[in-house]
């Protein structure tokens, strides 16, 4: 255990299970939860960030969680579109991930990507929030993605350096041995499976030094909530998502054809009991079109491979 983790453990022991009350996640499909479908989760996806939030919310009545991640975004798009909204939510725990799409599909330069994320992490850390960074997995045994192994490794080293400079907590997926197993990955071999998302959630909670109930290789079912809480959260859903959506249909705005974040505002972790907050016709419920220059690999899940890059 590092000195930083020891200090965090002392903090959590003094304040209860953990000191955080507002968790915000930024990123692309990895953070959105692609590969981990769950009809009763917001947006119809669960993912490692939701699983982490579920654990952090246990016994914390005032805990709130937002997820701004949107599939297919490049690092610059993540920073331009999510950094300011994340800061406006005033989180005390922030998960920052991005750059994978740049490296995998755009031959991105890991050195230049590191410069962009370094500045962003500095801004996030300056708020006093705890920042989580994620080093990418080792795809060395994958025929296609193995070719980018060197660039991923270089980018990971930059992330470790950036994390050390800004006092961020690193979750190193490269060193997570269970991710070498095929069961951890979706059919497209790019997105995590439910078991993979569970493993990343375990690694995240361990890195934070938070006691939790998750067990390796045993994904926890979505927590059940009572009728009263579900109805109360439905009212929140209607106020935050449905009513604004109706107003946008009456008074359309430019850019409404873009995908939307599944949890743009902090709120209860689960209990809505509906397949996402998006009514039929909402842009986030549409199947994204093909990306120019990108062809799905044989064996990909049609629901994922025909969409955005990741």
């Amino acid at each position: 255990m590092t000195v930083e983790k020891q200090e965090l453990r002392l903090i959590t022991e003094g304040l209860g299970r953990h000191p955080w009350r507002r968790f915000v996640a930024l990123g692309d499909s990895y953070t959105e939860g692609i590969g981990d479908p769950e009809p009763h989760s917001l947006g119809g996806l669960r993912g490692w960030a939701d699983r982490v939030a579920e654990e952090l919310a246990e016994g914390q009545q005032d805990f709130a969680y937002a997820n701004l991640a949107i599939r297919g975004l490049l690092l610059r798009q993540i920073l331009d579109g999510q950094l300011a909204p994340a800061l406006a939510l005033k989180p005390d725990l922030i998960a920052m991930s991005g750059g994978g799409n740049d490296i995998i599909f755009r031959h991105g330069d890991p050195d230049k990507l590191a410069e962009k994320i370094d500045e962003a992490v500095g801004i996030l850390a300056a708020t006093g929030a705890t920042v989580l960074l994620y080093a990418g997995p080792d795809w060395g045994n994958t025929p296609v993605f193995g070719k980018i192994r060197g660039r991923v490794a270089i980018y990971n080293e930059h992330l470790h350096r950036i994390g050390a400079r800004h006092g961020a907590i690193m979750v190193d997926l490269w060193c997570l041995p269970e991710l070498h197993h095929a069961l951890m990955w979706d059919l497209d071999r790019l997105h995590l499976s439910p078991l993979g998302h569970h493993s990343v959630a375990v690694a995240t909670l361990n890195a934070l030094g938070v006691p939790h109930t998750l067990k390796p290789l045993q994904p926890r079912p979505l927590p059940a909530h009572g009728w009263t809480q579900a109805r109360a959260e439905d009212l929140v859903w209607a106020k935050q998502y449905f009513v604004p959506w109706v107003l946008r249909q009456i008074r359309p705005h430019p850019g409404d054809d873009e995908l939307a974040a599944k949890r743009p505002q902090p709120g209860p972790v689960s209990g809505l009991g509906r397949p996402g907050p998006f009514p039929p016709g909402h842009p986030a419920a549409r199947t994204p079109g093909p990306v120019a220059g990108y062809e799905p690999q044989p064996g990909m899940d049609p629901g994922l491979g025909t969409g955005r890059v990741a």
Side-chain angles (χ1 to χ4, degrees):
M1 179 181 294
T2 64
V3 173
E4 290 80 4
K5 289 182 182 178
Q6 289 175 336
E7 291 175 348
L8 274 174
R9 188 171 292 280
L10 289 175
I11 292 174
T12 59
E13 289 175 352
L15 297 178
R17 290 184 66 243
H18 64 80
W20 301 289
R21 294 297 179 270
R22 180 164 290 195
F23 173 37
V24 175
L26 295 75
D28 51 30
S29 61
Y30 160 76
T31 304
E32 185 183 356
I34 297 293
D36 190 9
E38 172 50 65
H40 296 294
S41 289
L42 286 170
L45 297 168
R46 196 175 179 191
W48 64 265
D50 284 26
R51 293 171 182 270
V52 168
E54 290 161 12
E55 288 295 308
L56 294 178
E58 286 292 328
Q60 314 263 160
Q61 295 297 322
D62 57 345
F63 184 81
Y65 162 54
N67 190 319
L68 308 183
I70 298 175
R71 69 197 73 178
L73 297 189
L74 303 175
L75 180 60
R76 174 47 63 191
Q77 293 172 312
I78 293 172
L79 301 182
D80 288 346
Q82 299 176 24
L83 189 61
L87 292 171
L89 298 179
K90 300 186 183 303
D92 52 11
L93 177 63
I94 305 169
M96 174 72 215
S97 176
N101 287 331
D102 299 76
I103 293 176
I104 296 171
F105 299 106
R106 301 300 175 90
H107 306 287
D109 183 337
D111 298 328
K112 293 181 179 179
L113 293 172
E115 293 177 0
K116 296 177 183 178
I117 201 167
D118 186 10
E119 180 180 0
V121 173
I123 293 172
L124 295 173
T127 66
T130 300
V131 179
L132 285 161
L133 287 178
Y134 291 78
D138 183 1
W139 281 313
N141 295 326
T142 305
V144 176
F145 299 123
K147 296 179 181 179
I148 63 169
R149 190 184 191 211
R151 293 207 303 276
V152 173
I154 293 172
Y155 188 50
N156 283 350
E157 288 302 306
H158 280 302
L159 290 175
H160 280 285
R161 174 178 53 82
I162 291 167
R165 176 161 57 245
H166 298 295
I169 295 176
M170 178 63 65
V171 182
D172 196 341
L173 305 186
W174 187 282
C175 297
L176 206 60
E178 51 264 47
L179 291 187
H180 295 165
H181 198 289
L183 291 177
M184 297 287 171
W185 298 94
D186 191 76
L187 292 177
D188 64 8
R189 302 183 185 181
L190 174 62
H191 297 103
L192 294 165
S193 67
L195 188 57
H197 280 283
H198 168 80
S199 297
V200 172
V202 172
T204 300
L205 293 164
N206 289 343
L208 288 172
V210 175
H212 60 84
T213 62
L214 302 186
K215 299 179 180 179
L217 306 181
Q218 297 181 36
R220 177 184 174 185
L222 193 69
H225 292 268
W227 182 89
T228 302
Q229 181 176 352
R231 297 291 74 74
E233 292 177 356
D234 279 353
L235 293 177
V236 173
W237 169 84
K239 179 180 179 180
Q240 293 183 350
Y241 299 99
F242 184 72
V243 173
W245 177 81
V246 171
L247 292 176
R248 281 200 299 272
Q249 307 315 302
I250 300 173
R251 298 174 297 181
H253 291 76
D256 273 355
D257 58 342
E258 298 178 357
L259 286 171
K262 66 178 185 179
R263 289 177 173 269
Q265 295 294 327
V269 174
S270 59
L272 291 171
R274 61 176 70 249
F278 311 115
H282 186 283
R286 300 173 188 165
T287 301
V291 176
Y294 169 56
E295 295 294 335
Q297 298 298 318
M300 279 189 174
D301 181 344
L304 298 175
T306 58
R308 300 201 176 211
V309 292

